Amino acid sequence: MLAFSESVSFDKRLALFDIEASLAHAAMLRKVGILSAREHAAIRTGLKAIARDVSADRFKWETRLEDVHMNIEQALTVKVPAAAKLHTARSRNDQVATDIRLFLKHACAAVSERLHRLQVVLLDLAEANRKVLIPGYTHLQRAQPVSVAHHLLAYVEMLGRDNERFEIVADHANWCPLGCGALAGTTLPIDREYTATLLGFVDPKGKPRVTRNSMDSVADRDSLIEFANACSLTGVHLSRMAEDVVLWCSREFGFARISDAFATGSSLMPQKKNPDSFELIRGKSARLQGNLQTLLTMVKGLPLTYNRDLQEDKIPVFDSFDQVSACLEVATGSLEGMSFDSERCAAAVSDPVLLATDLADYLVEKGVPFRDAHHAVGALVGVAEAEGVALNAVSDEQAAQINDQLKGDWRGVFDLKNAMAKRRGTGMPGPVRVVAEIKRWRRLLGDR
Ligand code: ARG
């Protein structure tokens, strides 16, 4: 049963947060007169020494003491007799809820920093390749030309939303449950607001944020679920990006190459260079989704308040944090070493048929209703296909037969540079707009 029920093997990761919470709790006990100044000082010194031992990896964790909370309290009690008073007006239930909220605030900030670094690398890559055009795809069929920069900026947007999500999770975690006890608070005259302030559970004006219902406080795992959700959605974005890169690096596409450091060869086929880093990112995103599912399922059938099932919540949360962090770092490194093959890209985007919609727009500008213009260009594409020629090589006679507005300068539409320059509206892939977006993001990220 001991081996089955212990959690110290994984919750020791909360040790420094646990000590931080105990220091604040002790200060509060002192403030309300439950600890004497001398007792408080002894507890403080003892806790700080344990924190040093933990940081230096010298602390002796004991499975028989079950979890991080008991291990630290025991170690303290051995050194400091007054430690027997530390657990006054608290329970491991509000203790672990507090520790994990401190952990989540730290984790959200750490993920945000990594998201930020990846966004900067994407911006650098976009800037370096802002003149390279590739086909944009729908249904994985070549659709319309875009710049590599515009494509990469799509991921900068996604990561920007991810960042906002982590900020929201950190904000939701920013309420202090300490002092709620096992589930029904305490008869002792504690000062929860004081503890909350010491631990940094405060609003932007510095006002303490204290949870409002003792039962909810020890039963609630919303912010863990929200964190796992934010991680899994970031994972989905990274996975979609990874899939694009895998395709781009294939011989079939040939748009890009990644550096050797983030690829592997085959043990059998000497010519192979596999984009393993991106494949693993794609694979790990499945794990991030699994962690979210684990948490949701764990909580859904639990009666209020604390149930021991909840001890299992830390494993998926730690794993999501570790894996999303690793994915972000590897994505950053892999993209740093990525290069585009401008010739292959130019060849892929050279087919005039990618500008068929531009020709329809051309007719619209001459007063043809869009539905008719769409139909006419469709017919023109049919003729080009039947004759095995490019769309802009259909004869003037045939074009005029399809629609009498297809005359004169209609072939001018297929000038790719012009076609891109026209896409200057907000959100569009024209070069002027893309450069402005790169600038906007740099400003937002405080990068330049
Ligand atoms: N190790 C426990 C957990 O992580 C701490 C809370 C235990 N509470 C209890 N009443 N046994 O959930």
Side-chain angles (χ1 to χ4, degrees):
M1 180 57 190
L2 191 60
F4 187 65
S5 66
E6 69 85 24
S7 58
V8 66
S9 54
F10 53 90
D11 69 12
K12 64 181 177 201
R13 191 163 170 174
L14 293 173
L16 293 180
F17 300 112
D18 196 71
I19 292 170
E20 188 186 343
S22 286
L23 282 167
H25 186 67
M28 183 279 291
L29 292 177
R30 167 66 203 129
K31 180 169 181 275
V32 302
I34 292 174
L35 291 179
S36 70
R38 181 179 297 219
E39 287 165 338
H40 177 218
I43 287 174
R44 246 178 55 183
T45 311
L47 282 171
K48 287 187 174 167
I50 293 175
R52 280 194 299 276
D53 288 348
V54 168
S55 300
D57 224 1
R58 286 195 296 261
F59 189 85
K60 238 185 119 291
W61 297 104
E62 302 218 32
T63 310
R64 85 189 149 80
L65 293 173
E66 204 179 288
D67 60 19
V68 61
H69 323 292
M70 301 296 272
N71 265 270
I72 291 173
E73 195 184 319
Q74 258 308 310
L76 185 67
T77 310
V78 168
K79 289 199 239 183
V80 181
K85 291 192 177 177
L86 180 60
H87 212 55
T88 310
R90 82 173 182 190
S91 146
R92 278 186 290 163
N93 298 353
D94 57 343
Q95 211 179 339
V96 74
T98 306
D99 293 1
I100 201 86
R101 281 168 182 266
L102 289 170
F103 170 83
L104 286 179
K105 291 201 320 177
H106 152 84
C108 287
V111 174
S112 282
E113 221 178 282
R114 290 185 176 107
L115 280 167
H116 186 290
R117 273 204 293 277
L118 177 54
Q119 284 181 301
V120 170
V121 166
L122 282 164
L123 289 178
D124 292 344
L125 198 60
E127 195 156 356
N129 295 282
R130 67 183 186 283
K131 296 210 171 119
V132 180
L133 301 178
I134 51 172
Y137 292 76
T138 61
H139 313 268
L140 200 54
Q141 308 288 319
R142 287 180 184 174
Q144 292 183 297
V146 294
S147 60
V148 161
H150 192 61
H151 194 130
L152 296 174
L153 281 168
Y155 289 110
V156 176
E157 292 288 331
M158 290 176 223
L159 299 175
R161 293 195 295 274
D162 290 334
N163 201 24
E164 281 174 23
R165 247 182 303 277
F166 280 102
E167 277 171 18
I168 292 168
V169 176
D171 187 57
H172 288 179
N174 191 26
W175 291 85
C176 187
L178 203 57
C180 287
L183 78 160
T186 173
T187 57
L188 296 163
I190 62 170
D191 184 345
R192 293 189 59 207
E193 282 70 18
Y194 183 68
T195 318
T197 306
L198 289 180
L199 287 173
F201 289 108
V202 292
D203 71 11
K205 288 187 183 137
K207 231 179 99 206
R209 276 177 149 194
V210 170
T211 56
R212 309 301 302 188
N213 180 293
S214 64
M215 294 178 77
D216 179 41
S217 301
V218 294
D220 167 40
R221 291 297 182 270
D222 287 5
S223 50
L224 286 79
I225 292 169
E226 289 181 334
F227 178 76
N229 176 61
C231 290
S232 75
L233 197 41
T234 298
V236 166
H237 294 151
L238 294 178
S239 183
R240 295 186 77 175
M241 178 171 78
E243 174 59 8
D244 276 335
V245 175
V246 169
L247 287 172
W248 289 350
C249 291
S250 68
R251 189 64 82 85
E252 284 69 14
F253 278 72
F255 294 173
R257 293 177 68 83
I258 57 169
S259 64
D260 289 344
F262 291 93
T264 61
S266 157
S267 55
L268 187 141
M269 300 164 282
Q271 85 284 12
K272 285 294 284 292
K273 177 168 165 181
N274 302 323
D276 293 39
S277 51
F278 289 99
E279 293 169 82
L280 278 165
I281 286 169
R282 211 171 46 190
K284 282 173 190 285
S285 79
R287 193 162 151 189
L288 295 171
Q289 290 173 45
N291 288 340
L292 171 61
Q293 195 59 48
T294 298
L295 288 166
L296 286 167
T297 309
M298 180 187 302
V299 171
K300 85 173 248 315
L302 296 185
L304 294 188
T305 55
Y306 179 84
N307 297 270
R308 194 62 184 279
D309 318 41
L310 294 175
Q311 176 166 295
E312 292 280 312
D313 62 2
K314 289 156 220 62
I315 300 169
V317 166
F318 293 158
D319 188 59
S320 284
F321 176 51
D322 293 340
Q323 295 307 319
V324 87
S325 300
C327 287
L328 286 166
E329 276 177 23
V330 168
T332 302
S334 310
L335 290 175
E336 260 169 351
M338 195 159 107
S339 58
F340 284 85
D341 183 332
S342 47
E343 268 169 41
R344 284 292 297 256
C345 293
V349 80
S350 66
D351 187 344
V353 83
L354 296 181
L355 293 173
T357 315
D358 293 46
L359 188 59
D361 290 347
Y362 167 89
L363 289 174
V364 165
E365 285 195 297
K366 301 204 158 198
V368 180
F370 180 75
R371 283 293 161 212
D372 299 340
H374 183 276
H375 186 78
V377 177
L380 198 72
V381 170
V383 170
E385 270 175 11
E387 304 207 340
V389 297
L391 186 58
N392 60 351
V394 177
S395 72
D396 281 343
E397 295 74 49
Q398 279 170 307
Q401 235 166 42
I402 289 170
N403 188 298
D404 58 11
Q405 294 300 326
L406 283 176
K407 60 181 181 202
D409 59 351
W410 69 275
R411 283 191 183 82
V413 162
F414 298 102
D415 180 316
L416 193 50
K417 224 174 157 181
N418 261 338
M420 294 312 291
K422 282 186 177 168
R423 290 168 160 83
R424 62 176 80 86
T426 308
M428 297 183 195
V432 172
R433 179 59 64 176
V434 165
V435 166
E437 285 302 307
I438 293 175
K439 263 207 192 121
R440 183 179 72 89
W441 269 112
R442 293 235 193 253
R443 209 173 41 243
L444 284 173
L445 298 172
D447 190 39
R448 180 171 302 182

